[in-house]
Amino acid sequence: MGTGLIPADGEIWRVRRRAIVPSLHQKYVTAMISLFGEASHRLCEKLDTAASDGEDVEMESLFSRLTLDIIGKAVFNYDFDSLSVDNGIVEAVYTVLREAEMRSTSPIPTWEIPIWKDISPRQRKATKALKLINDTLNDLIAICKRMVEQEELQFHEEYMNEQDPSILHFLLASGDDVSSKQLRDDLMTMLIAGHETSAAVLTWTFYLLSKEPRVMAKLQEEVDTVLGDRFPTIEDMKKLKYTTRVINESLRLYPQPPVLIRRSLQEDVLGKYPIKRGEDIFISVYNLHHCPKHWVDAERFYPERWPLDGPNPNETNQNFSYLPFGGGPRKCVGDMFATFETVVATAMLVRRFNFQMALGAPPVEMTTGATIHTTEGLQMTVTRRTSPPIIPTLEMKKVLTVGGSDTEPLGTTTPLASSIPEGDQQGEVSTASL
Ligand code: HEM
C-alpha cells in the first residue's frame, strides 16, 4: 500500500534492492559493529546518570533515539545525536514516521485529497517535516558526491571509506546510476524500515527480560564471559549465542511489523480461499508466532527453544512458521544489520545495568501501528550492576608431589579475598573502553 512518503513502485525497488545492500564484507561489518557499540555506549552513559540520580527512565523512547542515531550514521553518515539533543530534524523525522505509520494503516487515503492537503494542520505539518528531511538528504547527497569525486580510492567489491562507511557513500562510489530523487527515496525507505523496527525489538526484549530474571541472569553471565568490559567485535557475534537467542525469541513473541500486507496482482486461490485481483491480503505474523500448533508453550519467553549449537532460526529452517524478517523476494534487506545491532545494544546494556519495571509504572500494553508499541511507554528503574560478593576462603595451597619430593605448587589457589581493600574489589562493572 502506498503512503505517498516512500516510493510505491515495486518494480524499481525490486531492482534497486540488490544494489543498495553493500556486500557484507568483514571491513563493513566491523565498522557497523563499532558504530553500534559507540551509540550504545552513549545510551549507557545516559542511563548511568539516571541510575546516579535515582530517576526512572522511559526506555521505549530511548531505544527509538538509539536506533535513529545508528541508522542516520549507517545510511547517510548523518549524526542525529538524538540521545543528547532535540532539534528540528529529529522532530521532523518523528512527524514523518508517525505519518507514514498512520497512512499505512488508514483505510481512506485522505492525504491524497487536494484541498485537505492544504488545510489540515496535520497534513501541513507532515509536508513541512518531509520537506526539511528531503532538503537535508539532498544536502547530504551533494556533500557525499563531492567527497567521492575527490577521493582517490577505486571502487572494488570490498570498498569502504573509513571515515564514512555509510550506504550512501558506498552507492555513490559504486557509480550507481540513479537520479538523486531515487537515491533520496531509497535512503528514506531505509530510515523508515530500519529505525522503529529495531527500537521495538529492543523495547520488548527488555520488557521480557524484566519478567524473566532467570533469562536475564543467564544472559548477563554470557555477556560477562564473552565481553568482559570491552566493546563487542565481529568475532563476538558468533560467541554471543544466548544473546542472539534472546533476540530471536523476542522477535517471535513481538514480531515487527506484526502484520505483512500483500496486494494481489491477479485472481488467485490461496488454499480454499479465492482471491480477487487487487485484493489486500494481511498475513498475521503475530498469530503465526503465537500459534500453539507450531510452538510448544507458545506464550512462554523461552530462548532455549532453539539449541545454542544449532543454526540461528530463520524462515527456511523453521518451515515458514517463523518470519521475523519476512521471506522470499521481499525479505528484509537489513536482517543481519538489525540482528547485530540489537545483540550489541542488549549485551552492552545488560553488562552494566539491571532493569526492573518502575514502581507504580502503568501496565505495559500493546498498540499496533507499523510496529508494536507500548500504550504508555516502558518505565524502568535502572540500577548499576555489582559483581557477586567475593567470598573469603581459607583453602590451603595444594602441593603436588612428584617422585616423592615436594615441589613448588603448580596451581595457585585463591588468596584470602577478604584481605582485598574495599576500593579494589571492582564492585561496579566498569565502563567499556575503545
Ligand atoms: C529488528 C529489526 C528489523 C525487523 C524486525 C525488520 C523486519 C522486516 C520485515 C518483516 C520485512 C518484510 C516486509 C514485507 O514482507 O512486507 C522488512 C523489509 C525491509 N526491511 Fe527490515 N527489519 C528490521 C530492520 C531493518 C533495517 C536495519 C533495515 C535497513 C538497514 C531494514 C530495511 C528493510 C527494507 C529496505 C525492507 C523492504 C524490502 C523490500 O520490500 O524489498 N530493515 N523488514
Side-chain angles (χ1 to χ4, degrees):
M1 274 204 284
T3 62
L5 295 170
I6 49 174
D9 189 329
E11 200 42 54
I12 297 183
W13 177 244
R14 226 183 329 278
V15 177
R16 295 273 306 134
R17 61 167 275 150
R18 258 176 261 130
I20 63 166
V21 194
S23 54
L24 283 178
H25 58 74
Q26 181 137 346
K27 253 195 317 184
Y28 176 75
V29 181
T30 304
M32 286 304 114
I33 288 172
S34 20
L35 166 62
F36 305 153
E38 283 157 25
S40 304
H41 181 58
R42 284 199 293 277
L43 177 55
C44 286
E45 285 175 339
K46 217 174 161 79
L47 295 181
D48 202 55
T49 312
S52 296
D53 298 347
E55 274 176 13
D56 292 338
V57 278
E58 203 285 278
M59 292 302 296
E60 187 172 35
S61 60
L62 288 177
F63 283 138
S64 180
R65 283 161 188 271
L66 169 72
T67 58
L68 178 62
D69 287 355
I70 289 176
I71 202 81
K73 278 299 266 181
V75 173
F76 34 77
N77 195 29
Y78 184 78
D79 194 357
F80 284 106
D81 199 13
S82 69
L83 275 167
S84 328
V85 293
D86 231 335
N87 54 26
I89 183 82
V90 172
E91 203 199 314
V93 168
Y94 284 110
T95 304
V96 170
L97 287 173
R98 292 281 85 79
E99 188 63 22
E101 190 161 51
M102 188 281 284
R103 289 186 187 185
S104 65
T105 49
S106 163
I108 304 162
T110 47
W111 59 93
E112 282 174 6
I113 304 168
I115 305 165
W116 186 246
K117 264 200 309 214
D118 302 325
I119 55 168
S120 152
R122 180 183 175 126
Q123 292 310 314
R124 283 170 48 190
K125 190 175 172 200
T127 309
K128 200 170 148 208
L130 189 59
K131 183 172 178 334
L132 177 62
I133 297 173
N134 281 342
D135 290 349
T136 311
L137 287 181
N138 284 338
D139 289 348
L140 290 171
I141 293 172
I143 294 169
C144 193
K145 271 188 178 153
R146 279 202 294 280
M147 272 173 80
V148 169
E149 273 159 24
Q150 280 160 16
E151 81 188 5
E152 309 210 320
L153 222 57
Q154 285 299 308
F155 186 81
H156 55 97
E157 216 172 74
E158 299 213 343
Y159 168 91
M160 191 190 83
N161 180 297
E162 307 275 343
Q163 271 78 51
D164 173 8
S166 70
I167 295 178
L168 170 60
H169 200 112
F170 176 90
L171 287 176
L172 289 174
S174 73
D176 192 35
D177 186 22
V178 285
S179 68
S180 291
K181 179 172 181 315
Q182 179 67 50
L183 190 57
R184 199 188 65 201
D185 287 345
D186 288 348
L187 300 181
M188 189 75 173
T189 302
M190 277 185 277
L191 179 73
I192 292 181
H195 162 230
E196 296 247 294
T197 40
S198 303
V201 173
L202 287 169
T203 301
W204 292 106
T205 301
F206 277 74
Y207 169 72
L208 289 165
L209 288 171
S210 75
K211 301 272 161 214
E212 277 290 351
R214 178 196 69 83
V215 177
M216 181 58 133
K218 199 166 161 185
L219 173 66
Q220 286 176 324
E221 196 188 317
E222 177 181 88
V223 173
D224 290 350
T225 313
V226 174
L227 291 185
D229 64 358
R230 42 173 196 82
F231 270 71
T233 63
I234 189 168
E235 286 77 31
D236 296 324
M237 295 303 104
K238 280 189 228 112
K239 296 182 196 149
L240 290 168
K241 287 175 193 280
Y242 192 69
T243 316
T244 308
R245 290 290 174 273
V246 166
I247 299 295
N248 300 146
E249 178 71 338
S250 163
L251 267 166
R252 184 183 68 82
L253 288 168
Y254 295 94
Q256 315 292 345
V259 173
L260 301 178
I261 308 170
R262 294 291 182 272
R263 181 164 293 165
S264 171
L265 294 175
Q266 58 200 41
E267 271 189 24
D268 209 339
V269 180
L270 190 61
K272 55 182 180 183
Y273 301 100
I275 311 281
K276 290 196 205 95
R277 182 171 180 266
E279 210 162 29
D280 288 338
I281 298 151
F282 289 68
I283 305 157
S284 173
V285 182
Y286 185 91
N287 286 349
L288 181 69
H289 284 188
H290 286 248
C291 177
K293 274 197 211 143
H294 294 289
W295 304 98
V296 177
D297 240 344
E299 294 306 319
R300 182 173 174 207
F301 175 48
Y302 187 56
E304 289 81 358
R305 66 177 70 244
W306 296 289
L308 291 191
D309 53 5
N312 287 334
N314 60 33
E315 74 285 7
T316 41
N317 63 27
Q318 300 297 300
N319 201 17
F320 286 81
S321 54
Y322 181 62
L323 296 177
F325 294 104
R330 306 309 291 253
K331 183 179 170 175
C332 179
V333 297
D335 57 343
M336 285 283 280
F337 181 105
T339 304
F340 289 169
E341 176 188 23
T342 46
V343 164
V344 167
T346 303
M348 287 189 63
L349 292 178
V350 303
R351 167 173 68 187
R352 285 188 62 188
F353 305 102
N354 284 316
F355 294 82
Q356 269 139 359
M357 294 306 297
L359 271 179
V364 178
E365 282 164 14
M366 291 185 279
T367 171
T368 303
T371 54
I372 310 175
H373 303 277
T374 67
T375 39
E376 293 182 68
L378 183 66
Q379 291 288 345
M380 296 194 116
T381 303
V382 179
T383 44
R384 291 195 193 101
R385 280 182 67 204
T386 48
S387 302
I390 299 168
I391 300 161
T393 102
L394 291 171
E395 201 177 329
M396 300 297 289
K397 285 186 176 182
K398 282 200 190 82
V399 176
L400 187 73
T401 307
V402 180
S405 64
D406 287 352
T407 59
E408 282 298 300
L410 289 181
T412 46
T413 53
T414 317
L416 284 179
S418 56
S419 65
I420 299 173
E422 189 115 301
D424 291 349
Q425 285 201 13
Q426 296 291 309
E428 284 176 6
V429 176
S430 56
T431 315
S433 52
L434 270 175

